[in-house]
Coordinates of all heavy atoms in Angstrom, one line a residue:
V22 N 24.7 15.6 -23.9 CA 24.9 14.2 -23.4 C 23.6 13.5 -23.3 O 22.7 14.0 -22.6 CB 25.6 14.2 -22.0 CG1 25.7 12.9 -21.4 CG2 26.9 14.9 -22.1
R23 N 23.4 12.4 -23.9 CA 22.2 11.6 -23.9 C 22.3 10.5 -22.8 O 23.2 9.7 -22.7 CB 21.9 11.0 -25.2 CG 20.6 10.4 -25.4 CD 20.3 10.0 -26.7 NE 19.0 9.5 -26.8 CZ 18.3 9.3 -27.8 NH1 18.8 9.7 -29.0 NH2 17.1 8.8 -27.8
K24 N 21.2 10.5 -21.9 CA 21.2 9.5 -20.9 C 20.5 8.2 -21.4 O 19.6 8.3 -22.2 CB 20.4 10.0 -19.7 CG 21.1 11.1 -19.0 CD 20.2 11.5 -17.8 CE 21.0 12.3 -16.8 NZ 20.9 13.7 -16.9
S25 N 21.0 7.1 -21.0 CA 20.3 5.8 -21.3 C 19.0 5.8 -20.7 O 18.7 6.4 -19.7 CB 21.2 4.6 -20.9 OG 21.1 4.5 -19.5
S26 N 18.0 5.0 -21.3 CA 16.7 4.8 -20.7 C 16.8 4.2 -19.3 O 15.9 4.4 -18.5 CB 15.8 4.0 -21.7 OG 16.3 2.7 -21.8
T27 N 17.7 3.3 -19.1 CA 17.8 2.7 -17.8 C 18.2 3.7 -16.7 O 17.5 3.7 -15.6 CB 18.9 1.6 -17.8 OG1 18.6 0.6 -18.8 CG2 19.0 0.9 -16.4
S28 N 19.1 4.7 -16.9 CA 19.3 5.6 -16.0 C 18.2 6.6 -15.8 O 18.0 7.1 -14.6 CB 20.6 6.4 -16.3 OG 20.4 7.2 -17.5
V29 N 17.5 6.9 -16.8 CA 16.3 7.7 -16.6 C 15.2 7.0 -15.8 O 14.6 7.6 -14.9 CB 15.7 8.1 -18.0 CG1 14.3 8.8 -17.9 CG2 16.6 9.0 -18.8
K30 N 15.0 5.7 -16.0 CA 14.1 4.9 -15.2 C 14.5 5.0 -13.7 O 13.6 5.2 -12.8 CB 14.0 3.5 -15.7 CG 13.4 3.3 -17.0 CD 13.5 1.8 -17.4 CE 13.0 1.6 -18.8 NZ 13.2 0.3 -19.3
I31 N 15.8 4.8 -13.5 CA 16.3 4.8 -12.1 C 16.0 6.2 -11.4 O 15.6 6.3 -10.3 CB 17.8 4.4 -12.0 CG1 17.9 3.0 -12.4 CG2 18.3 4.7 -10.7 CD1 19.3 2.5 -12.6
L32 N 16.3 7.3 -12.2 CA 16.1 8.6 -11.6 C 14.6 8.8 -11.4 O 14.2 9.5 -10.4 CB 16.6 9.6 -12.6 CG 18.1 9.7 -12.7 CD1 18.5 10.7 -13.8 CD2 18.7 10.2 -11.4
V33 N 13.7 8.4 -12.2 CA 12.3 8.5 -12.0 C 11.8 7.8 -10.8 O 11.1 8.4 -9.9 CB 11.5 8.0 -13.3 CG1 10.0 7.9 -13.0 CG2 11.7 9.0 -14.5
V34 N 12.3 6.6 -10.6 CA 11.9 5.7 -9.4 C 12.5 6.4 -8.2 O 11.8 6.5 -7.2 CB 12.3 4.2 -9.6 CG1 12.2 3.5 -8.3 CG2 11.6 3.6 -10.7
L35 N 13.7 6.8 -8.2 CA 14.4 7.4 -7.0 C 13.6 8.7 -6.6 O 13.4 9.0 -5.5 CB 15.8 7.6 -7.2 CG 16.7 6.4 -7.2 CD1 18.2 6.8 -7.5 CD2 16.6 5.7 -5.9
S36 N 13.3 9.5 -7.7 CA 12.6 10.7 -7.4 C 11.2 10.5 -6.7 O 10.9 11.2 -5.7 CB 12.4 11.5 -8.7 OG 13.6 11.9 -9.3
A37 N 10.4 9.5 -7.2 CA 9.2 9.2 -6.6 C 9.3 8.7 -5.2 O 8.6 9.1 -4.3 CB 8.5 8.2 -7.5
L38 N 10.3 7.7 -5.0 CA 10.5 7.2 -3.7 C 11.0 8.3 -2.7 O 10.5 8.3 -1.5 CB 11.5 6.0 -3.7 CG 11.0 4.8 -4.4 CD1 12.1 3.7 -4.5 CD2 9.7 4.2 -3.7
S39 N 11.8 9.1 -3.1 CA 12.3 10.2 -2.3 C 11.2 11.2 -1.8 O 11.1 11.5 -0.6 CB 13.4 11.0 -2.9 OG 14.5 10.2 -3.3
A40 N 10.3 11.5 -2.7 CA 9.2 12.4 -2.4 C 8.2 11.7 -1.5 O 7.7 12.3 -0.5 CB 8.5 12.9 -3.7
I41 N 8.0 10.5 -1.7 CA 7.0 9.8 -0.8 C 7.6 9.5 0.5 O 7.0 9.8 1.5 CB 6.7 8.4 -1.5 CG1 5.8 8.7 -2.8 CG2 5.9 7.5 -0.6 CD1 5.5 7.5 -3.6
A42 N 8.9 9.2 0.6 CA 9.6 9.1 1.9 C 9.6 10.3 2.6 O 9.4 10.3 3.9 CB 11.0 8.6 1.7
Y43 N 9.8 11.5 2.0 CA 9.7 12.8 2.7 C 8.4 13.0 3.2 O 8.1 13.5 4.4 CB 10.1 13.9 1.7 CG 10.1 15.2 2.4 CD1 11.2 15.7 3.1 CD2 9.0 16.1 2.3 CE1 11.2 16.9 3.8 CE2 9.0 17.3 2.9 CZ 10.1 17.7 3.7 OH 10.1 18.9 4.3
G44 N 7.3 12.7 2.5 CA 5.9 12.8 2.9 C 5.6 12.0 4.1 O 5.0 12.5 5.1
V45 N 6.1 10.8 4.1 CA 5.9 9.8 5.3 C 6.7 10.4 6.5 O 6.1 10.5 7.6 CB 6.5 8.4 5.0 CG1 6.5 7.6 6.2 CG2 5.5 7.8 3.9
S46 N 7.9 10.9 6.3 CA 8.6 11.4 7.5 C 8.0 12.7 8.0 O 8.0 12.9 9.2 CB 10.1 11.7 7.1 OG 10.2 12.7 6.2
D47 N 7.4 13.5 7.1 CA 6.8 14.7 7.6 C 5.5 14.3 8.4 O 5.3 15.0 9.4 CB 6.3 15.5 6.3 CG 5.7 16.8 6.8 OD1 6.3 17.5 7.6 OD2 4.7 17.2 6.1
E48 N 4.7 13.3 8.0 CA 3.6 12.9 8.7 C 4.0 12.3 10.1 O 3.3 12.6 11.1 CB 2.7 11.9 7.9 CG 2.0 12.5 6.8 CD 1.1 13.7 7.1 OE1 0.4 13.6 8.2 OE2 1.1 14.7 6.4
L49 N 5.1 11.5 10.1 CA 5.5 11.0 11.4 C 5.9 12.1 12.3 O 5.7 12.1 13.5 CB 6.7 10.1 11.2 CG 6.3 8.7 10.5 CD1 7.6 7.9 10.2 CD2 5.4 7.9 11.4
H50 N 6.6 13.2 11.8 CA 7.0 14.3 12.6 C 5.8 15.0 13.2 O 5.8 15.5 14.3 CB 7.9 15.2 11.7 CG 8.4 16.5 12.4 ND1 7.7 17.7 12.1 CD2 9.3 16.7 13.3 CE1 8.2 18.6 12.9 NE2 9.2 18.0 13.6
Q51 N 4.8 15.2 12.4 CA 3.6 15.9 12.8 C 2.9 15.2 14.0 O 2.3 15.9 14.8 CB 2.6 16.0 11.7 CG 2.9 17.0 10.6 CD 1.8 17.2 9.6 OE1 0.7 16.8 9.8 NE2 2.2 17.8 8.5
G52 N 3.1 13.9 14.1 CA 2.6 13.2 15.2 C 3.1 13.6 16.6 O 2.5 13.4 17.6
F53 N 4.3 14.2 16.6 CA 5.0 14.6 17.8 C 4.8 16.1 18.1 O 5.2 16.6 19.2 CB 6.5 14.4 17.7 CG 6.8 13.0 17.6 CD1 7.2 12.4 16.4 CD2 6.7 12.1 18.7 CE1 7.5 11.0 16.4 CE2 7.1 10.7 18.7 CZ 7.4 10.2 17.4
I54 N 4.1 16.9 17.3 CA 3.9 18.2 17.4 C 2.4 18.4 18.1 O 1.5 17.9 17.6 CB 3.9 19.0 16.1 CG1 5.2 18.7 15.4 CG2 3.7 20.5 16.2 CD1 6.4 19.2 16.0
P55 N 2.4 19.2 19.2 CA 1.2 19.5 19.8 C 0.1 20.2 18.8 O 0.5 21.0 18.0 CB 1.5 20.5 20.9 CG 2.9 20.3 21.2 CD 3.5 19.9 19.8
F56 N -1.2 19.7 18.9 CA -2.3 20.2 18.1 C -2.1 19.8 16.6 O -2.8 20.4 15.8 CB -2.4 21.7 18.2 CG -2.5 22.1 19.7 CD1 -1.5 22.9 20.2 CD2 -3.6 21.9 20.5 CE1 -1.5 23.3 21.6 CE2 -3.6 22.2 21.8 CZ -2.6 23.0 22.4
R57 N -1.2 18.9 16.3 CA -1.1 18.4 14.9 C -1.4 16.9 15.0 O -1.2 16.2 15.9 CB 0.3 18.6 14.4 CG 0.8 20.1 14.2 CD 0.0 20.8 13.3 NE 0.0 20.3 11.9 CZ 0.8 20.8 10.9 NH1 1.6 21.7 11.1 NH2 0.8 20.2 9.7
V58 N -1.9 16.4 13.8 CA -2.3 15.0 13.7 C -1.6 14.4 12.5 O -1.6 15.0 11.5 CB -3.9 14.9 13.6 CG1 -4.2 13.4 13.4 CG2 -4.5 15.5 14.8
S59 N -1.1 13.2 12.8 CA -0.5 12.4 11.6 C -1.7 11.6 11.1 O -2.3 10.9 11.8 CB 0.6 11.6 12.2 OG 1.2 10.8 11.1
D60 N -1.8 11.5 9.7 CA -2.9 10.9 9.1 C -2.4 10.1 7.9 O -1.7 10.6 7.1 CB -4.1 11.9 8.8 CG -5.3 11.2 8.3 OD1 -5.5 10.0 8.4 OD2 -6.1 12.0 7.8
K61 N -3.0 8.8 7.8 CA -2.6 8.0 6.6 C -3.1 8.6 5.3 O -2.5 8.5 4.3 CB -3.2 6.6 6.8 CG -2.5 5.8 7.9 CD -3.1 4.5 8.0 CE -2.5 3.8 9.3 NZ -3.1 2.5 9.5
L62 N -4.2 9.3 5.4 CA -4.8 10.0 4.1 C -3.8 11.1 3.7 O -3.8 11.4 2.5 CB -6.2 10.5 4.4 CG -7.3 9.5 4.5 CD1 -8.6 10.1 4.8 CD2 -7.3 8.6 3.2
D63 N -3.2 11.8 4.6 CA -2.2 12.8 4.2 C -1.0 12.2 3.5 O -0.5 12.8 2.6 CB -1.7 13.6 5.5 CG -2.7 14.6 5.9 OD1 -3.7 15.0 5.2 OD2 -2.6 15.1 7.1
I64 N -0.6 11.0 3.9 CA 0.5 10.3 3.3 C 0.1 10.0 1.9 O 0.8 10.2 0.9 CB 0.9 9.0 4.1 CG1 1.5 9.4 5.4 CG2 1.9 8.2 3.3 CD1 1.8 8.3 6.3
A65 N -1.2 9.5 1.7 CA -1.6 9.2 0.4 C -1.7 10.5 -0.5 O -1.4 10.4 -1.7 CB -3.0 8.5 0.5
A66 N -2.2 11.5 0.1 CA -2.2 12.8 -0.7 C -0.9 13.3 -1.1 O -0.6 13.7 -2.2 CB -2.9 13.8 0.1
D67 N 0.1 13.2 -0.2 CA 1.5 13.5 -0.5 C 2.1 12.6 -1.6 O 2.7 13.1 -2.5 CB 2.4 13.4 0.8 CG 2.1 14.4 1.8 OD1 1.5 15.4 1.5 OD2 2.5 14.1 3.0
A68 N 1.8 11.3 -1.5 CA 2.3 10.5 -2.6 C 1.6 10.8 -3.9 O 2.3 10.8 -4.9 CB 2.0 9.0 -2.2
A69 N 0.3 11.0 -3.9 CA -0.4 11.4 -5.1 C 0.2 12.7 -5.7 O 0.4 12.7 -6.9 CB -1.9 11.5 -4.9
G70 N 0.4 13.6 -4.9 CA 1.0 14.9 -5.4 C 2.4 14.7 -6.0 O 2.7 15.3 -7.0
A71 N 3.2 13.9 -5.3 CA 4.5 13.5 -5.8 C 4.4 12.9 -7.2 O 5.2 13.3 -8.1 CB 5.3 12.7 -4.8
L72 N 3.6 11.9 -7.4 CA 3.4 11.2 -8.6 C 2.9 12.1 -9.7 O 3.3 12.1 -10.8 CB 2.6 9.9 -8.4 CG 3.2 8.9 -7.5 CD1 2.3 7.7 -7.3 CD2 4.6 8.4 -8.0
F73 N 1.9 13.0 -9.3 CA 1.3 13.9 -10.2 C 2.4 14.8 -10.8 O 2.6 15.1 -12.0 CB 0.2 14.7 -9.7 CG -0.4 15.7 -10.6 CD1 -1.3 15.3 -11.6 CD2 -0.1 17.0 -10.5 CE1 -1.8 16.3 -12.5 CE2 -0.6 18.0 -11.3 CZ -1.5 17.6 -12.3
G74 N 3.2 15.4 -9.9 CA 4.3 16.3 -10.2 C 5.4 15.6 -11.1 O 5.8 16.2 -12.1
L75 N 5.7 14.4 -10.7 CA 6.7 13.7 -11.6 C 6.1 13.4 -13.0 O 6.8 13.6 -14.0 CB 7.1 12.4 -10.9 CG 8.2 11.6 -11.5 CD1 9.5 12.4 -11.6 CD2 8.5 10.4 -10.7
G76 N 4.9 13.0 -13.0 CA 4.2 12.7 -14.3 C 4.2 14.0 -15.1 O 4.4 13.9 -16.4
S77 N 3.8 15.1 -14.5 CA 3.7 16.4 -15.2 C 5.1 16.8 -15.8 O 5.2 17.2 -16.9 CB 3.3 17.5 -14.3 OG 1.9 17.2 -13.9
Y78 N 6.2 16.6 -15.0 CA 7.5 16.9 -15.5 C 7.9 16.0 -16.7 O 8.4 16.5 -17.7 CB 8.5 16.7 -14.3 CG 9.9 16.7 -14.9 CD1 10.5 17.8 -15.3 CD2 10.7 15.5 -15.0 CE1 11.8 17.9 -15.8 CE2 11.9 15.5 -15.5 CZ 12.5 16.6 -16.0 OH 13.8 16.7 -16.5
L79 N 7.6 14.7 -16.6 CA 7.9 13.8 -17.7 C 7.2 14.2 -19.0 O 7.7 14.2 -20.1 CB 7.6 12.4 -17.3 CG 8.5 11.8 -16.3 CD1 8.0 10.4 -15.8 CD2 9.9 11.7 -16.8
L80 N 5.9 14.6 -18.9 CA 5.1 15.0 -20.0 C 5.7 16.3 -20.6 O 5.8 16.4 -21.9 CB 3.6 15.2 -19.7 CG 2.9 13.9 -19.4 CD1 1.5 14.2 -19.0 CD2 2.9 13.0 -20.7
W81 N 6.1 17.2 -19.7 CA 6.7 18.4 -20.2 C 8.0 18.2 -20.9 O 8.3 18.8 -21.9 CB 6.9 19.4 -19.0 CG 7.7 20.6 -19.3 CD1 7.2 21.8 -19.9 CD2 9.0 20.9 -18.9 NE1 8.2 22.6 -20.0 CE2 9.3 22.2 -19.4 CE3 10.0 20.1 -18.4 CZ2 10.6 22.7 -19.2 CZ3 11.3 20.7 -18.2 CH2 11.5 22.0 -18.6
R82 N 8.8 17.3 -20.3 CA 10.2 16.9 -20.8 C 10.0 16.3 -22.2 O 10.7 16.6 -23.2 CB 10.8 16.0 -19.9 CG 12.2 15.5 -20.3 CD 12.7 14.6 -19.2 NE 14.0 14.2 -19.7 CZ 14.2 12.9 -20.0 NH1 13.2 12.1 -20.2 NH2 15.4 12.5 -20.4
C83 N 8.9 15.4 -22.4 CA 8.7 14.8 -23.7 C 8.2 15.8 -24.7 O 8.5 15.7 -25.9 CB 7.7 13.7 -23.5 SG 8.5 12.2 -22.7
R84 N 7.4 16.7 -24.3 CA 6.8 17.7 -25.2 C 8.0 18.6 -25.8 O 8.1 18.9 -26.9 CB 5.9 18.6 -24.5 CG 5.3 19.6 -25.3 CD 4.2 20.4 -24.5 NE 3.7 21.5 -25.4 CZ 3.9 22.8 -25.2 NH1 4.7 23.2 -24.2 NH2 3.4 23.7 -26.1
G85 N 9.0 18.9 -24.9 CA 10.1 19.7 -25.3 C 11.0 18.9 -26.3 O 11.5 19.5 -27.2
R86 N 11.1 17.6 -26.0 CA 11.9 16.8 -26.8 C 11.3 16.6 -28.2 O 12.0 16.7 -29.2 CB 12.1 15.5 -26.2 CG 13.0 14.5 -27.1 CD 13.2 13.2 -26.4 NE 14.2 13.4 -25.4 CZ 14.5 12.4 -24.5 NH1 14.0 11.2 -24.6 NH2 15.3 12.6 -23.5
R87 N 10.0 16.5 -28.3 CA 9.3 16.4 -29.6 C 9.5 17.6 -30.4 O 9.6 17.6 -31.6 CB 7.8 16.2 -29.4 CG 7.5 14.7 -29.3 CD 6.0 14.5 -29.4 NE 5.7 13.6 -28.3 CZ 4.9 13.8 -27.4 NH1 4.1 14.9 -27.4 NH2 4.7 12.9 -26.4
Q88 N 9.6 18.9 -29.8 CA 9.8 20.0 -30.6 C 11.2 20.1 -31.1 O 11.4 20.6 -32.2 CB 9.5 21.2 -29.7 CG 8.1 21.5 -29.4 CD 7.8 22.5 -28.4 OE1 8.7 23.1 -27.8 NE2 6.6 22.9 -28.2
L89 N 12.2 19.5 -30.4 CA 13.5 19.5 -30.9 C 13.8 18.4 -31.8 O 14.6 18.5 -32.7 CB 14.5 19.4 -29.7 CG 14.5 20.6 -28.7 CD1 15.4 20.3 -27.5 CD2 15.0 21.8 -29.4
E90 N 13.2 17.2 -31.5 CA 13.5 16.0 -32.3 C 12.1 15.4 -32.6 O 11.5 14.6 -31.9 CB 14.2 15.0 -31.5 CG 15.6 15.4 -31.0 CD 16.2 14.4 -30.1 OE1 15.8 13.2 -30.2 OE2 17.0 14.8 -29.2
P91 N 11.5 15.7 -33.8 CA 10.2 15.2 -34.2 C 10.1 13.7 -34.2 O 9.0 13.1 -34.1 CB 10.0 15.8 -35.6 CG 10.8 17.0 -35.6 CD 12.0 16.6 -34.8
S92 N 11.2 13.0 -34.3 CA 11.2 11.5 -34.3 C 11.0 10.9 -33.0 O 10.9 9.7 -32.9 CB 12.5 11.0 -35.0 OG 13.6 11.4 -34.3
S93 N 11.0 11.7 -31.9 CA 10.9 11.1 -30.6 C 9.5 11.1 -30.1 O 9.2 11.5 -28.9 CB 11.8 11.9 -29.6 OG 11.3 13.2 -29.5
D94 N 8.5 10.6 -30.8 CA 7.1 10.6 -30.5 C 6.9 9.6 -29.4 O 5.9 9.8 -28.7 CB 6.3 10.3 -31.7 CG 6.1 11.4 -32.6 OD1 6.4 12.6 -32.2 OD2 5.8 11.2 -33.8
Q95 N 7.7 8.6 -29.2 CA 7.4 7.6 -28.2 C 8.3 7.9 -26.9 O 8.8 6.9 -26.4 CB 7.6 6.2 -28.7 CG 6.7 5.9 -29.9 CD 6.9 4.5 -30.4 OE1 7.9 3.9 -30.2 NE2 6.0 4.1 -31.3
C96 N 8.4 9.1 -26.5 CA 9.2 9.4 -25.4 C 8.9 8.7 -24.1 O 9.8 8.1 -23.5 CB 9.1 11.0 -25.1 SG 10.2 11.5 -23.8
L97 N 7.7 8.6 -23.7 CA 7.3 7.9 -22.5 C 7.4 6.4 -22.6 O 7.5 5.8 -21.6 CB 5.9 8.4 -22.1 CG 5.8 9.9 -21.6 CD1 4.4 10.2 -21.2 CD2 6.7 10.1 -20.4
S98 N 7.2 5.9 -23.8 CA 7.3 4.5 -23.9 C 8.7 3.9 -23.6 O 8.9 2.8 -23.2 CB 6.9 4.0 -25.3 OG 7.8 4.4 -26.3
N99 N 9.7 4.8 -23.6 CA 11.1 4.3 -23.3 C 11.1 4.1 -21.8 O 12.1 3.4 -21.4 CB 12.1 5.4 -23.6 CG 12.2 5.6 -25.1 OD1 11.9 4.7 -25.9 ND2 12.6 6.7 -25.6
L100 N 10.2 4.6 -21.0 CA 10.3 4.3 -19.6 C 9.6 3.1 -19.1 O 9.8 2.6 -18.0 CB 9.6 5.5 -18.8 CG 10.3 6.9 -19.0 CD1 9.4 8.0 -18.3 CD2 11.7 6.8 -18.4
A101 N 8.8 2.6 -20.0 CA 8.0 1.3 -19.6 C 8.9 0.0 -19.6 O 10.0 0.0 -20.0 CB 7.0 1.1 -20.7

C-alpha cells in the first residue's frame, strides 16, 4: 500500500510535534520534583533530539526505498 505524500507529511509533522510536546511536558513535570530543575535549554535539546531522530528515520527510509526502486532518487523532495 503506497501512502500519498500528503499523508506522509502529516505523519512527519505529527511525529515531530508529539515528540516535542512530550519533551515540554517532561520538563514541566520535573519542575514539581524535589532536587530537579526545569530548564528551557533541556526543552531545546529534547526538540533537537526529536528532529534529529525523525530526520535520521526519513533518510534511512529513503535509502531503503532507493534500493528497492532506483527511480525514487527524490524521496525527500516529496516532503517539501
Side-chain angles (χ1 to χ4, degrees):
V22 176
R23 188 172 181 164
K24 292 184 167 95
S25 71
S26 63
T27 303
S28 64
V29 171
K30 289 177 192 177
I31 290 171
L32 288 175
V33 167
V34 170
L35 287 177
S36 297
L38 290 177
S39 297
I41 292 169
Y43 182 83
V45 169
S46 70
D47 186 43
E48 290 303 318
L49 290 174
H50 176 258
Q51 284 183 18
F53 296 105
I54 306 297
F56 309 110
R57 298 293 302 259
V58 177
S59 180
D60 189 10
K61 292 177 184 175
L62 289 177
D63 283 344
I64 293 173
D67 291 341
L72 295 175
F73 177 79
L75 185 58
S77 297
Y78 167 74
L79 290 172
L80 289 174
W81 173 77
R82 182 175 176 259
C83 287
R84 181 175 177 252
R86 180 178 286 174
R87 268 191 231 124
Q88 289 175 352
L89 294 175
E90 303 172 25
S92 64
S93 64
D94 285 340
Q95 298 178 349
C96 182
L97 292 177
S98 66
N99 292 336
L100 295 175

